[in-house]
Amino acid sequence: MKRKFGALEKVDADLSYKADFAGQYTQYESQRHVFVQAPTSATDMGIVFFRDLIDFIAHVADCYPLETANFPDDLIQLLSLQNEHLGSELLEKIVGSLVLLRRKDIIDSPRLLQTLFPLLVTTPSKSLRALLYKKCLSDLRTSNAKVTNHRLNRTFQTVLSNLLTSDRTSSKGLWAVKFTRELWKRQIWTDSKAVEIMKEASLADNEKIIIGGVRFFLGGDKEREELLEDESSDEDAIDMGKIKHQVGINKKTKKKARQMESAIATVKRKERKKKQPHPLNFSAFHLLHDPQGFAESLFFKHLQNSKSKLNLEQKLLVLQLVSRLVGLHKLTVMSLYSYFIKYLTPRQPSVTSFLASLAQATHNLIPPDVLESLVKKIADEFVSEAVAPEVASAGLNAIREICVRQPLAINKTLLQDLVGYRKSKDKGVMMAAKGLLGLYRETAPSMLEKRDRGKEAAMSLKSGERKGQRFGEQAAGQIEGLDLLEKWKEEELQRRVATQGDARESDLSNDEGDDDDGWEVDDTSDSDSGGWQNVSTDEDDRVEKPLKRARYDSRASSKAEDEEEDEGEDKENKLSQASEAPKSEAAVSSLATTRILTPADLAKLQELRLAASINDALPASQRKRAAAARQVTLQRHADDPLTAAEIEGLASLSTKNTKEQRIALAKAGKEDKTELRKSTTARRKEKKQEQGKSTTNREKARKKNFLMTLGKAKGKQKRSLVDRGKVLKAHKERGKRGGKRGNNG
């Protein structure tokens, strides 16, 4: 009854307020008509009164839907037609009221964006543009918060794409770049349509739009990863144990309770995120529909075109994008490599960036004769005794990065000359030359002289394990560790066959004189049947038959077997080198192509991989570990860009540190030593202080003021023997109880 009575009172209140609201709405309409007819003649007091009326009606519009049916249309009309005459405060109020109506679901999101976005593109007011951009972006994020709103996203993406393609010289397309880049970073737009928008931006005629699109491809994925790391680090900063400890000890207040609730909510949200499936964050380069056409359009429009308005820094960004596209997708743009020739000089500004771009644009499908002239140009300009050591090390690093991707880009004579710099007195040049030498010891040791190949490369070259790479040759892909699984299966099969063979021999030895009778019975049964017999073709039967035959042939003689074995060994020695490689390839491919791996196989494969990694960590396998590290360097991820800092690489070793730098390094070393010299107790104490935890009573007693402990110490000295016994007895009883509070119950 009380609930019904409260509801009736609420209805009466709504009916009583309806007349007041009607009066306010009538005043709003009269003010709006006056403002529409003469917007410039409105007074300051009238504008303030009109603004307050708009704010009031927007807040209560959901309570009176019939009376305020035309209110959103009035605001949209004011904003679109009279925006030039509206003041900044009135404009902000109208925009905020429309956003409030969107939150109350009085208008939908497409209608709000159709109203605000055209005004964002055309208005000259900087403050209004910032406000509209913020509101549009917030609405898009809110609409895609729980579930991705594909319909709204497609509509807005079409608007942005039309904005770019309608007028390529206009600066309005910059808003398309801003929206797409921000929504891509927030992982709201992750489809190919967003990538196509930025592709159109990169092919525009406005310099700012071009650079915005290019920077998206070069750094958009990195921004997204950094944002995810920041969010995860913010969530990890909450220590639930510390909060619970403080709540249990400190005074109970509402503020502490709210902090505890918010911390629990954050931890629960983090746990829900962990359970959610990981989103497929494809790189923007992999979502391009036509990377070959995009790379050619970028190169011919912005780099080779003499009418291009881009400066050298902007052209360098475009060149980095083209080179990454060519290297990642293994494209063929032959005129790109001749474009590099005029920039490959030490006097060229940002020459290391040009060298990095050239290395990125190299892959194993580029003809070696195209790259050989470029490598020779780098060697002539950068690598000589007449240039500075920093220049020589940068040139050697650039040549190495090119040869990692295409080992056939250099001839033997030039390679031998460059490898000779490993005896240089400069450390940077020496290490760069050794890096080139180590690369060819792994990839193509036949191109090196015998004294430079090293022991492992020479042995593998002699045994035929390593062969010279041919142009266009692609290595067959396989599952990592599959050879370990196949070897384990072969060993298990041999062990099982051996155990079955031993059991069969023991059975035959137990049948002392009955073997011949058994054979006679079999012969009579065959003659009586007069028909065909089914013969098993299992692997066990095929392996067991030689065991029986060996059993009975051993009774006759063993000379014939020895002669046959000698002939078989001679034949195998003749054909071993010719058939070793094909057999290994067939063995590797047979398990992957003829059998589906079961979950048990996959589990065993993981176990064998782990065992192999443990074996690699042993001191006896240091050479294997070094070879694996070199393979990691060779198989660097294709999505990772090559920077100018990597080309400069070891050039810092060629320059001597100044006195200030040496002093700073010495101080840093001393700090590290002091950290290492700290005891475990000191480190534990620092850790407690960082976490805000308290110390023990014994530690507190040590820090107590001496004058405060002086009276107690004097009192202890004056105690009699009886008093000391009483104190000791009380101490023991207090320890049994669990302290003064009696924590033991």
Side-chain angles (χ1 to χ4, degrees):
M1 293 297 293
K2 289 183 178 180
R3 290 182 179 179
K4 291 183 179 180
F5 185 71
L8 290 173
E9 282 185 345
K10 188 177 180 182
V11 171
D12 293 338
D14 292 340
L15 293 174
S16 62
Y17 285 127
K18 191 170 185 180
D20 296 337
F21 174 76
Q24 295 287 338
Y25 195 76
T26 305
Q27 290 183 4
Y28 154 74
E29 287 185 338
S30 62
Q31 289 287 335
R32 184 179 65 82
H33 286 302
V34 171
F35 192 83
V36 169
Q37 290 176 1
T40 56
S41 62
T43 61
D44 294 339
M45 293 296 294
I47 292 175
V48 171
F49 183 59
F50 184 47
R51 190 175 69 224
D52 293 340
L53 287 172
I54 291 174
D55 190 19
F56 168 71
I57 296 171
H59 278 84
V60 299
D62 55 336
C63 299
Y64 305 98
L66 297 178
E67 289 79 1
T68 59
N70 297 326
F71 180 66
D73 297 332
D74 296 340
L75 293 182
I76 292 171
Q77 186 179 6
L78 272 174
L79 197 61
S80 58
L81 299 178
Q82 304 291 337
N83 61 80
E84 297 179 357
H85 305 290
L86 299 175
S88 59
E89 295 181 356
L90 184 57
L91 272 172
E92 290 180 5
K93 184 58 67 178
I94 293 174
V95 172
S97 300
L98 285 172
V99 173
L100 184 60
L101 294 176
R102 166 68 187 94
R103 290 177 182 173
K104 293 176 178 291
D105 290 330
I106 297 174
I107 60 174
D108 55 356
S109 185
R111 190 178 181 188
L112 178 65
L113 293 175
Q114 288 172 5
T115 304
L116 299 184
F117 186 73
L119 184 61
L120 169 66
V121 175
T122 56
T123 183
S125 175
K126 189 175 181 180
S127 59
L128 182 60
R129 286 201 302 266
L131 176 65
L132 293 174
Y133 173 72
K134 182 180 178 182
K135 297 299 182 183
C136 290
L137 191 63
S138 176
D139 184 67
L140 285 168
R141 291 180 61 184
T142 306
S143 301
N144 291 275
K146 295 182 180 179
V147 181
T148 304
N149 193 342
H150 294 287
R151 185 176 180 182
L152 176 64
N153 293 339
R154 284 196 298 269
T155 304
F156 197 64
Q157 286 170 352
T158 305
V159 172
L160 297 181
S161 181
N162 294 336
L163 184 66
L164 283 168
T165 55
S166 60
D167 187 6
R168 293 186 177 275
T169 59
S170 176
S171 61
K172 295 178 181 180
L174 198 60
W175 292 110
V177 175
K178 287 185 176 181
F179 274 104
T180 307
R181 191 164 183 175
E182 184 65 25
L183 293 171
W184 178 271
K185 184 174 72 173
R186 300 285 179 183
Q187 293 190 357
I188 298 171
W189 288 358
T190 56
D191 55 350
S192 59
K193 184 70 174 177
V195 179
E196 288 298 315
I197 292 173
M198 302 309 288
K199 175 183 173 182
E200 295 295 333
S202 302
L203 297 174
D205 295 330
N206 187 281
E207 292 84 358
K208 291 183 179 180
I209 299 175
I210 293 169
I211 299 305
V214 171
R215 287 185 185 277
F216 167 77
F217 283 103
L218 294 177
D221 299 326
K222 188 176 180 181
E223 290 177 355
R224 186 167 60 180
E225 292 174 0
E226 290 176 353
L227 183 64
L228 284 174
E229 290 177 0
D230 293 341
E231 290 178 353
S232 61
S233 63
D234 292 341
E235 291 178 353
D236 292 340
I238 298 174
D239 188 1
M240 286 298 297
K242 181 180 177 181
I243 294 174
K244 288 181 179 179
H245 179 71
Q246 291 176 349
V247 169
I249 293 176
N250 298 341
K251 184 179 178 181
K252 275 72 174 175
T253 60
K254 292 183 178 180
K255 183 180 178 181
K256 296 289 183 182
R258 286 195 299 269
Q259 289 179 354
M260 185 68 180
E261 290 176 0
S262 63
I264 292 172
T266 306
V267 171
K268 286 182 178 179
R269 186 168 62 251
K270 180 184 174 184
E271 292 297 327
R272 284 197 301 269
K273 282 185 178 180
K274 284 183 179 179
K275 294 178 181 179
Q276 288 178 355
H278 191 275
L280 298 176
N281 297 330
F282 289 105
S283 174
F285 289 104
H286 297 289
L287 295 176
L288 286 167
H289 289 310
D290 184 17
Q292 176 74 36
F294 182 42
E296 290 178 353
S297 302
L298 279 173
F299 178 68
F300 291 116
K301 185 171 183 178
H302 299 315
L303 297 178
Q304 269 202 337
N305 188 6
S306 59
K307 297 180 181 180
S308 178
K309 298 179 182 179
L310 301 178
N311 56 29
L312 180 63
E313 185 180 356
Q314 293 170 343
K315 283 186 176 181
L316 191 55
L317 289 174
V318 177
L319 183 62
Q320 289 175 2
L321 175 56
V322 174
S323 63
R324 286 194 67 184
L325 285 169
V326 171
L328 181 61
H329 293 282
K330 294 188 177 182
L331 309 177
T332 305
V333 185
M334 289 307 195
S335 53
L336 172 65
Y337 302 97
S338 59
Y339 176 80
F340 280 102
I341 292 178
K342 60 182 178 181
Y343 296 105
L344 298 180
T345 58
R347 295 175 296 276
Q348 172 66 38
S350 304
V351 66
T352 51
S353 298
F354 283 101
L355 292 173
S357 300
L358 174 59
Q360 279 188 138
T362 305
H363 53 85
N364 59 347
L365 299 181
I366 300 297
D369 53 352
V370 176
L371 297 172
E372 192 172 347
S373 59
L374 292 170
V375 173
K376 193 174 185 307
K377 170 83 172 175
I378 296 172
D380 294 340
E381 293 284 344
F382 290 84
V383 188
S384 67
E385 296 181 356
V387 300
E390 298 88 351
V391 178
S393 62
L396 286 170
N397 282 334
I399 292 173
R400 182 186 177 280
E401 291 294 338
I402 293 171
C403 295
V404 164
R405 294 160 174 81
Q406 177 55 285
L408 303 176
I410 190 172
N411 54 38
K412 292 184 179 180
T413 307
L414 181 58
L415 176 62
Q416 197 59 39
D417 293 340
L418 297 179
V419 166
Y421 282 91
R422 72 185 186 278
K423 298 179 181 179
S424 174
K425 294 181 180 179
D426 185 77
K427 192 173 183 180
V429 178
M430 179 261 294
M431 293 184 71
K434 283 186 175 180
L436 185 64
L437 176 63
L439 169 67
Y440 274 90
R441 281 180 176 176
E442 290 294 328
T443 56
S446 59
M447 295 182 67
L448 298 170
E449 291 188 1
K450 289 185 178 180
R451 65 173 182 270
D452 298 331
R453 291 173 183 172
K455 183 179 178 181
E456 293 182 4
M459 292 176 63
S460 60
L461 198 64
K462 187 176 181 180
S463 62
E465 293 180 5
R466 298 183 187 177
K467 297 180 180 179
Q469 187 176 358
R470 295 178 294 178
F471 172 64
E473 185 178 3
Q474 296 287 341
Q478 61 180 1
I479 303 172
E480 182 183 358
L482 194 62
D483 53 345
L484 299 174
L485 180 62
E486 187 171 9
K487 185 179 179 181
W488 177 80
K489 283 182 174 293
E490 290 178 356
E491 292 175 355
E492 284 293 312
L493 179 62
Q494 292 175 2
R495 184 183 60 80
R496 191 166 59 249
V497 167
T499 55
Q500 290 177 358
D502 294 340
R504 186 65 55 85
E505 286 184 357
S506 62
D507 293 340
L508 292 172
S509 62
N510 291 332
D511 302 338
E512 294 174 352
D514 300 333
D515 293 337
D516 296 336
D517 298 336
W519 280 94
E520 289 175 0
V521 172
D522 291 340
D523 292 340
T524 55
S525 63
D526 292 342
S527 61
D528 293 338
S529 62
W532 293 94
Q533 284 188 353
N534 293 327
V535 181
S536 176
T537 58
D538 294 335
E539 293 181 358
D540 297 340
D541 295 338
R542 286 200 299 267
V543 180
E544 289 167 4
K545 286 178 182 177
L547 294 174
K548 290 182 179 181
R549 186 178 178 185
R551 168 84 178 165
Y552 291 102
D553 288 346
S554 60
R555 295 179 180 179
S557 66
S558 62
K559 294 182 180 180
E561 286 184 4
D562 295 335
E563 293 176 359
E564 289 176 1
E565 287 176 1
D566 293 338
E567 291 176 2
E569 288 178 358
D570 295 337
K571 291 180 181 179
E572 287 177 0
N573 291 332
K574 291 179 182 178
L575 300 175
S576 60
Q577 295 180 353
S579 62
E580 186 175 357
K583 284 182 180 179
S584 62
E585 293 178 2
V588 170
S589 61
S590 63
L591 193 61
T593 56
T594 60
R595 180 170 178 174
I596 298 174
L597 298 180
T598 62
D601 292 337
L602 295 175
K604 190 64 182 178
L605 180 61
Q606 184 66 23
E607 181 184 345
L608 294 172
R609 284 178 187 168
L610 181 61
S613 63
I614 292 172
N615 291 333
D616 289 342
L618 296 174
S621 60
Q622 290 181 354
R623 292 183 180 178
K624 292 182 179 180
R625 248 196 342 255
R630 287 195 293 270
Q631 287 295 327
V632 170
T633 307
L634 293 175
Q635 297 175 356
R636 180 168 31 186
H637 201 280
D639 288 347
D640 297 336
L642 183 65
T643 60
E646 295 179 10
I647 294 295
E648 293 172 5
L650 304 169
S652 59
L653 298 175
S654 302
T655 58
K656 293 183 178 180
N657 294 331
T658 61
K659 186 177 180 180
E660 292 79 7
Q661 291 175 344
R662 290 197 296 271
I663 291 172
L665 288 172
K667 287 182 178 179
K670 286 182 181 178
E671 291 177 0
D672 295 339
K673 287 180 181 178
T674 54
E675 288 292 329
L676 292 173
R677 288 172 183 170
K678 284 183 180 178
S679 63
T680 308
T681 308
R683 291 177 184 174
R684 199 175 295 161
K685 187 177 179 181
E686 287 184 357
K687 187 178 179 181
K688 279 187 175 182
Q689 290 178 355
E690 290 175 358
Q691 295 176 352
K693 293 182 179 179
S694 179
T695 56
T696 61
N697 291 334
R698 187 171 294 177
E699 290 175 349
K700 289 175 182 175
R702 288 174 187 166
K703 293 183 178 180
K704 202 168 186 179
N705 192 358
F706 175 71
L707 295 175
M708 296 175 68
T709 61
L710 192 60
K712 188 175 182 181
K714 288 181 179 179
K716 285 184 178 180
Q717 292 177 359
K718 296 178 181 179
R719 286 177 186 170
S720 64
L721 188 61
V722 178
D723 292 337
R724 288 183 181 180
K726 289 180 180 179
V727 170
L728 184 60
K729 186 176 180 181
H731 175 71
K732 289 182 178 180
E733 291 177 355
R734 191 165 54 246
K736 291 178 182 179
R737 288 199 310 268
K740 291 182 180 180
R741 298 181 180 179
N743 294 326
N744 292 342

